[in-house]
């Protein structure tokens, strides 16, 4: 009985023990859970206190963006180029289209607007399913990783600590910035490869667009690259990129950002990449951008930050607003490209039987001297000298064949791979004719187009401002303007076209100076207008003898031409001085601007990354000649285009085979008022054309690197053949583009003009003149 009672008693106590065990297990669970939570809290606290490595300070969080590219911006708002360590240009949230934002959220962080930096639901899901159903990283965490994780660790423990720090940083970013600001920073920071850092560069490089112009499909492609831009590289893995883009479009449909039918239609589209590299050698205005780089390098030395440190043009995100018009720049480059391809063919053809090609009219000794000089000026020579190589070693290296990429007008991308010695490559490059163009608004000094050469990648030397060449007959309008200013001469005044001698001793001459006319044409009386139109040397000699060389030099000095090394000799009247195209355009602008010189301007203002103006250009102006003198000189130069060496602009010139082979774009058939002057130097080494319409002055130079590189005859080597076609092609494009507002009106006539410019009698006497023979272009 007692045993039975004991069993009953034991059976009654057993459930109580099980109940106690369950309670103990629950308490143990909560203890472990609490300890776990505590550990997590401690880990985050330790991380926030810097136990696992330093965290960004308040200043870094306030200004996390780094290595921002300096942007060179045209007057019409287009990006001409950038200077950068990383090609990053920040954009504002308002510049991001909705479908780009939606694509990112749908793909990377669907609950972006519902969390504060850490997606708890996503984190739990990732932990339970070990990431097989998606990761837990939020956009804020990814931004924290981009900004503050310099190198992602391969060690799992270290990577775990990095992840914790990124969580802490992401919550701080969420407290400091709005959701829109975080999205914008993420788009601005990500590296899309191929020099495309940030969405602005990516849109430009892959689609030649601004972010606001991206389509939904294009936005989806770029967002797809966020997963792994190295893997999803459009240039190397177009199939994978298209597949990834379609995944993004599916995500957008899943979260109701687009409909199923839109998704299906967009997924069927090809990628349609328009790859537009932004290297320093690519794009438009390459020569001008190098000028801008030099300008900025000088500017930052003289304009430090408030803390005394210097700005960095490669990382401080400066914006440089220029006067260059992107359309006019493109037209200028197209004109140079069109004509120089054509001209080079004729030049090469004429050199096929030339044993001294590409040189003419020089001895073997002179040829050897040119080649040796070029060798010593080469980059190879300078680099080997820096390496400590002696002269003999350096010279020997120029005779060893090597693989190289060289310029070619006929090859794709203008480059071919070949094997030759460095010395042979020097001679090869000597055969190419060079060209330059500068176009400027005379009233403001704003330079609208700047082409320093035929191809910046292969010909770095800038012939707009750095290069100086003899200017030939383009100097003559300065002599005529001085005569008009001093003696009130009229274009209708006549002078004898006979040989003229300035005696020995005058102006310091060591012997008498008797210039000749090209072609030996003399006789009769000619008006000043006819004399300039036909570029008659004897008349110009008479004029400079009347006014003296010094007043002419003083005039052009006021016009911005460097004259300190210019001799006060009468021979300057025929264009013997070396002058840059930059100076010539500035000087000719005085005639179009009623006698006022405005210094050419290229940089309008500079702003920092926050839009604060650091520099604002103030135009430099100077009264040089009276408005009447300027107007009369323009009238004289209109005669050059009406009946002189520039008359082919009117479509009256008949050049036979030259029209087909050399005169690119002819007939031009301009109807609007144009003033201009051609110029050709001795041996046809340099061809010039300076052309003026009321609100645009444009100069063109063409020639070889060496004066010994030239055409065999004036017919081909004159300015009207080498340079004028570039001006004509360019102006045709500019006048056809009504948005540019290039004037086709008459030149403004000042009030109170007393000098006669009509010359009706002269026009009657020469009404049958169709054109002037080529030899009159000296």
């Amino acid at each position: 009985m007692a045993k039975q009672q004991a069993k009953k008693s034991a059976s009654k106590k057993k459930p109580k023990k099980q109940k106690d065990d369950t309670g103990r297990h629950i308490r143990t669970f909560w203890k472990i859970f609490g300890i776990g939570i505590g550990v997590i809290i401690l880990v985050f606290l330790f991380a926030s206190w810097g136990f696992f490595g330093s965290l960004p300070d308040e200043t870094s969080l306030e200004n996390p963006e780094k290595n921002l590219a300096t942007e060179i911006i045209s007057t019409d708002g287009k990006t001409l180029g950038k200077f950068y360590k990383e090609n990053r240009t920040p954009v504002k949230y308002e510049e991001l289209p909705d479908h780009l934002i939606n694509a990112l959220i749908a793909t990377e962080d669907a609950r972006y607007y519902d969390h504060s930096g850490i997606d708890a639901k996503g984190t739990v899901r990732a932990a339970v399913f070990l990431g097989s159903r998606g990761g837990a990283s939020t956009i804020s965490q990814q931004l924290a990783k981009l900004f503050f994780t310099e190198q992602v660790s391969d060690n799992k423990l270290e990577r775990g600590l990095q992840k914790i720090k990124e969580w802490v940083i992401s919550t701080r970013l969420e407290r400091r910035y709005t959701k829109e600001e975080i999205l914008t920073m993420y788009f601005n920071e990500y590296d899309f490869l191929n020099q495309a850092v940030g969405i602005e560069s990516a849109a430009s490089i892959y689609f030649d667009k601004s972010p606001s112009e991206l389509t939904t499909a294009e936005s989806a492609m770029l967002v797809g690259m966020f997963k792994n831009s190295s893997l999803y590289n459009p240039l190397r893995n177009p199939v994978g990129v298209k597949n990834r883009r379609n995944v993004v479009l599916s995500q957008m449909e899943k979260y109701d950002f687009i409909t199923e039918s839109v998704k299906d239609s967009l997924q069927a589209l090809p990628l349609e990449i328009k790859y537009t590299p932004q290297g320093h050698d690519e794009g438009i205005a390459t020569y001008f951008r190098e000028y801008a780089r030099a300008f900025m390098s000088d500017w930052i030395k003289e304009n430090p930050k408030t803390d005394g440190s210097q700005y960095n043009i490669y990382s401080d995100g400066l914006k440089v607003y220029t006067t260059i018009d992107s359309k006019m720049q493109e037209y200028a480059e197209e004109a140079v490209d069109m004509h120089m391809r054509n001209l080079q063919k004729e030049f090469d053809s004429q050199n096929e039987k030339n044993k001294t090609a590409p040189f003419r009219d020089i001895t073997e000794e002179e040829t050897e001297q040119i080649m040796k000089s070029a060798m010593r000026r080469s980059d190879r020579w300078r680099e080997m000298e820096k390496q400590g190589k002696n002269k003999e070693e350096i010279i020997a290296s120029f005779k060893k064949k090597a693989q190289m990429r060289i310029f070619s007008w006929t090859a794709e991308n203008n480059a071919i791979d070949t094997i030759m010695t460095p010395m042979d490559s020097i001679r090869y490059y000597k055969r190419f004719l060079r060209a330059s163009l500068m176009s400027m608004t005379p009233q403001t000094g704003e330079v609208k187009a700047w082409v320093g050469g035929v191809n910046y990648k292969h010909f770095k030397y800038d012939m707009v401002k750095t290069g100086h060449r003899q200017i030939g007959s383009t100097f003559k309008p300065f002599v005529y303007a001085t005569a008009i200013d001093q003696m009130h001469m009229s274009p209708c005044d006549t002078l004898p076209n006979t040989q003229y001698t300035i005696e020995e001793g005058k102006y310091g001459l060591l012997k008498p100076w008797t210039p000749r006319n090209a072609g030996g044409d003399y006789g009769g009386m000619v008006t000043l207008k006819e004399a300039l139109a036909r570029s008659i040397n004897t008349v110009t000699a008479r004029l400079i003898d009347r006014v003296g060389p010094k007043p002419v030099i003083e005039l052009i000095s006021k016009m911005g031409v460097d004259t300190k090394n210019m001799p006060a000799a009468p021979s300057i009247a025929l264009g013997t001085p070396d002058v840059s195209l930059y100076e010539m355009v500035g000087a000719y602008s005085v005639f179009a601007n009623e006698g006022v010189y405005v210094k050419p301007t290229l940089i309008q203002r500079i702003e920092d990354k926050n839009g604060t103006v650091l520099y604002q250009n103030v135009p430099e102006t100077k009264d040089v000649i009276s408005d009447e003198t300027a107007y009369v000189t323009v009238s004289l130069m209109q005669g050059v285009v009406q009946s002189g060496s520039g008359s082919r602009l009117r479509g009256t010139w008949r050049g036979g085979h030259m029209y087909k082979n050399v005169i690119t774009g002819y007939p031009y058939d301009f109807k609007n008022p144009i003033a201009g002057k051609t110029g050709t130097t001795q041996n046809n080494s340099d061809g010039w054309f300076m052309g003026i319409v009321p609100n645009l002055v444009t100069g063109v130079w063409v020639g070889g690197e060496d004066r010994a590189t030239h055409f065999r005859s004036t017919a081909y080597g004159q300015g009207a053949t080498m340079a004028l076609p570039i001006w004509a092609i360019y102006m045709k494009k500019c006048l056809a583009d009504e948005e540019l507002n290039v004037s086709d009106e008459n030149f403004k006539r000042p009030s109170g003009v007393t000098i006669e410019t009509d010359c009706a009698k002269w026009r009657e006497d020469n009404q049958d003149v169709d054109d002037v023979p080529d030899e009159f272009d000296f």
Side-chain angles (χ1 to χ4, degrees):
M1 195 68 180
K3 289 181 179 180
Q4 288 178 350
Q5 288 178 345
K7 286 180 180 180
K8 287 180 180 181
S9 177
S11 65
K12 288 179 181 179
K13 290 180 180 179
K14 191 172 184 179
K16 184 178 180 181
K17 182 179 181 182
Q18 289 177 344
K19 185 176 181 180
D20 290 343
D21 288 343
T22 301
R24 187 169 66 253
H25 290 321
I26 292 172
R27 287 192 298 274
T28 302
F29 169 79
W30 283 110
K31 286 179 181 178
I32 294 172
F33 181 79
I35 292 170
I37 294 296
V39 169
I40 292 173
I41 292 172
L42 281 175
V43 167
F44 274 91
L45 283 173
F46 289 159
S48 66
W49 293 336
F51 282 32
F52 305 138
S54 61
L55 290 172
D57 57 21
E58 294 297 313
T59 301
S60 298
L61 288 174
E62 275 290 343
N63 189 23
E65 292 179 333
K66 53 188 177 182
N67 289 339
L68 302 179
T70 288
E71 193 172 4
I72 310 301
I73 304 169
S74 70
T75 190
D76 53 334
K78 303 294 183 181
T79 298
L80 298 173
K82 301 176 183 178
F83 305 134
Y84 54 82
K85 293 178 180 176
E86 297 177 351
N87 185 14
R88 178 189 294 107
T89 300
V91 298
K92 298 177 181 178
Y93 181 80
E94 295 76 21
E95 299 174 60
L96 303 175
D98 290 341
H99 48 255
L100 180 66
I101 299 290
N102 295 338
L104 179 66
I105 290 173
T107 309
E108 298 290 331
D109 193 351
R111 285 181 293 278
Y112 176 69
Y113 290 107
D114 298 325
H115 63 67
S116 298
I118 299 175
D119 181 4
K121 183 176 180 181
T123 302
V124 173
R125 180 197 64 217
V128 172
F129 295 100
L130 301 177
S132 62
R133 295 191 180 180
S137 185
T138 65
I139 291 174
S140 304
Q141 289 171 249
Q142 292 177 48
L143 179 63
K145 177 182 174 182
L146 287 175
F147 276 149
F148 303 110
T149 301
E150 293 184 3
Q151 181 66 45
V152 176
S153 177
D154 293 328
N155 182 282
K156 290 185 177 180
L157 177 60
E158 290 181 357
R159 180 59 193 136
L161 294 176
Q162 286 179 341
K163 199 78 170 173
I164 292 170
K165 290 167 66 176
E166 290 163 10
W167 284 350
V168 173
I169 296 169
S170 69
T171 58
R172 292 184 177 181
L173 289 172
E174 289 270 355
R175 289 198 302 269
R176 187 168 296 276
Y177 296 101
T178 65
K179 291 288 187 179
E180 289 75 16
E181 289 172 330
I182 289 173
L183 282 172
T184 305
M185 286 191 287
Y186 188 45
F187 274 116
N188 284 333
E189 182 66 17
Y190 192 75
D191 187 349
F192 292 86
L193 296 187
N194 301 307
Q195 297 181 335
V197 183
I199 193 64
E200 192 275 343
S201 294
S204 178
I205 286 175
Y206 292 124
F207 299 109
D208 195 22
K209 294 181 176 181
S210 65
S212 62
E213 297 171 322
L214 291 170
T215 65
T216 301
E218 291 165 348
S219 296
M221 191 211 85
L222 294 176
V223 167
M225 295 178 70
F226 278 107
K227 185 174 180 66
N228 185 339
S229 58
S230 296
L231 175 61
Y232 298 110
N233 183 337
L235 303 185
R236 296 187 177 182
N237 183 17
V239 175
V241 170
K242 182 179 179 182
N243 292 337
R244 178 61 186 166
R245 179 203 68 180
N246 289 348
V247 169
V248 174
L249 292 170
S250 294
Q251 288 294 106
M252 294 181 72
E253 186 267 332
K254 175 182 177 181
Y255 290 103
D256 297 324
F257 290 122
I258 58 175
T259 64
E260 184 176 2
S261 61
V262 170
K263 178 204 73 173
D264 292 340
S265 64
L266 294 179
Q267 286 181 335
L269 294 175
L271 283 181
E272 295 183 340
I273 297 294
K274 186 179 179 181
Y275 182 57
T276 310
Q278 290 185 347
H280 299 304
D281 290 348
E282 286 90 16
I284 68 169
T286 44
Y287 289 93
F288 165 72
R289 281 152 44 192
E290 189 55 38
Y291 164 84
R293 187 206 303 269
F295 178 94
M296 291 300 297
S297 295
D298 292 338
W299 181 84
I300 62 175
K301 293 174 185 176
E302 299 173 3
N303 298 271
K305 297 179 181 179
T306 53
D307 63 2
S309 62
Q310 284 191 351
Y311 287 99
N312 189 318
I313 64 173
Y314 301 101
S315 60
D316 278 345
L318 303 175
K319 289 188 182 296
V320 182
Y321 292 89
T322 74
T323 62
I324 297 293
D325 185 287
S326 67
K327 285 187 178 180
M328 296 175 79
Q329 181 69 31
E330 287 181 3
Y331 297 155
E333 293 183 12
E334 289 168 2
V336 170
D337 189 273
M338 285 176 64
H339 183 57
M340 294 309 295
R341 285 176 184 271
N342 198 25
L343 191 67
Q344 189 69 44
K345 288 179 185 178
E346 179 64 28
F347 186 73
D348 291 343
S349 176
Q350 292 189 19
N351 272 315
E352 285 179 1
K353 296 181 180 180
N354 177 16
K355 295 181 180 179
T356 60
F359 312 117
R360 287 186 182 275
D361 307 322
I362 60 173
T363 64
E364 290 184 6
E365 291 76 14
E366 289 171 325
T367 298
E368 185 178 352
Q369 184 58 40
I370 289 174
M371 297 299 294
K372 285 182 178 179
S373 177
M375 177 176 64
R376 291 190 179 95
R377 294 196 313 268
S378 68
D379 291 336
R380 172 185 285 270
W381 186 283
R382 284 193 294 270
E383 288 300 318
M384 294 188 74
E385 270 191 334
K386 289 180 182 178
Q387 296 169 12
K389 305 291 184 182
N390 60 43
K391 181 178 177 181
E392 289 72 24
E393 289 176 308
I394 298 174
I395 293 174
S397 75
F398 278 84
K399 299 176 182 179
K400 295 179 181 178
K401 288 187 176 183
Q403 188 168 354
M404 60 183 69
R405 172 161 286 197
I406 58 176
F407 176 78
S408 171
W409 277 118
T410 58
E412 185 178 359
N413 297 322
N414 298 135
I416 55 176
D417 293 316
T418 189
I419 295 176
M420 63 170 60
T421 68
M423 205 64 182
D424 287 339
S425 74
I426 290 175
R427 193 172 191 121
Y428 173 80
Y429 276 104
K430 293 284 187 184
R431 64 183 276 262
F432 288 101
L433 296 173
R434 316 296 172 87
S436 58
L437 178 153
M438 178 174 149
S439 192
M440 172 180 141
T441 303
Q443 291 78 19
T444 64
E446 295 179 352
V447 177
K448 296 300 181 183
W450 174 298
V451 184
V454 294
N455 185 291
Y456 182 74
K457 184 179 289 186
H458 297 276
F459 305 96
K460 291 287 195 291
Y461 194 75
D462 188 331
M463 287 303 299
V464 169
K465 192 173 185 183
T466 307
H468 290 65
R469 297 295 287 258
Q470 283 188 346
I471 56 177
S473 292
T474 55
F475 191 93
K476 289 178 180 175
F478 304 133
V479 179
Y480 281 70
T482 306
I484 294 166
D485 199 46
Q486 281 190 8
M487 297 181 290
H488 218 61
M489 294 187 74
S490 163
C492 310
D493 288 337
T494 59
L495 289 173
N497 179 20
T498 56
Q499 285 195 335
Y500 186 79
T501 299
I502 299 178
E503 64 271 19
E504 178 184 346
K506 195 173 185 180
Y507 311 120
L509 289 174
L510 299 178
K511 60 181 180 179
W513 182 62
T514 308
R516 66 177 182 85
N517 288 337
D521 179 63
Y522 303 98
M525 301 292 289
V526 293
T527 64
L528 292 192
K529 196 161 191 174
E530 181 184 1
L532 185 62
R534 293 171 54 187
S535 212
I536 297 175
N537 289 340
T538 57
V539 173
T540 309
R542 290 176 185 274
L543 289 175
I544 200 165
D545 192 23
R546 288 191 182 188
V547 300
K550 284 186 178 180
V552 179
I553 292 174
E554 289 171 1
L555 173 68
I556 62 174
S557 179
K558 293 176 184 177
M559 291 176 161
V561 176
D562 182 1
T563 60
K564 60 178 176 289
N565 295 319
M566 192 176 294
S571 59
I572 64 172
L574 305 187
T576 55
D578 286 358
V579 182
S580 72
L581 180 61
Y582 173 89
E583 292 170 313
M584 287 296 289
V585 173
Y588 265 66
S589 292
V590 173
F591 301 131
N593 192 34
E594 303 180 73
V596 179
Y597 171 75
V598 183
K599 185 177 180 180
T601 298
L602 291 119
I603 308 299
Q604 286 282 40
R605 72 181 188 278
I606 302 169
E607 295 180 359
D608 66 13
K609 64 181 180 181
N610 299 314
T612 302
V613 176
L614 305 175
Y615 166 84
Q616 181 70 55
N617 177 69
V618 178
E620 296 181 33
T621 64
K622 184 190 303 179
D623 290 334
V624 177
I625 52 179
S626 69
D627 56 357
E628 182 180 40
T629 298
Y631 177 76
V632 174
T633 306
V634 167
S635 177
L636 276 168
M637 288 191 286
Q638 284 184 277
V640 175
V641 176
Q642 290 163 356
S643 61
S645 54
S647 62
R648 61 189 65 177
L649 291 172
R650 297 297 185 199
T652 58
W653 179 77
R654 295 181 293 276
H657 69 286
M658 286 185 66
Y659 156 67
K660 296 178 181 178
N661 296 341
V662 182
I663 314 301
T664 315
Y666 186 84
Y668 309 117
D669 200 28
F670 285 98
K671 304 297 184 186
N672 58 297
I674 299 171
K677 187 69 190 78
T678 56
T680 308
T681 59
Q682 192 173 11
N683 293 330
N684 313 303
S685 296
D686 305 273
W688 293 78
F689 184 72
M690 305 297 299
I692 305 174
V693 296
N695 65 348
L696 197 67
V697 176
T698 304
V700 180
W701 167 86
V702 175
E705 180 182 11
D706 302 280
R707 289 190 168 94
T709 303
H710 58 79
F711 278 100
R712 64 190 175 196
S713 70
T714 304
Y716 292 92
Q718 63 174 304
T721 302
M722 292 211 294
L724 179 145
I726 293 175
W727 188 94
I729 297 166
Y730 168 68
M731 285 303 298
K732 277 284 187 182
K733 292 174 180 287
C734 289
L735 287 167
D737 191 335
E738 294 181 358
E739 292 183 1
L740 298 178
N741 294 315
V742 175
S743 175
D744 59 359
E745 302 294 326
N746 287 316
F747 290 92
K748 181 182 176 182
R749 180 184 176 91
S751 60
V753 172
T754 59
I755 298 175
E756 181 60 63
T757 60
D758 192 349
C759 303
K761 185 178 183 302
W762 180 86
R763 285 203 303 273
E764 290 173 3
D765 293 341
N766 295 274
Q767 59 185 342
D768 294 326
V769 175
D770 223 0
D771 191 28
V772 179
D774 295 321
E775 63 266 25
F776 285 128
D777 189 43
F778 275 97

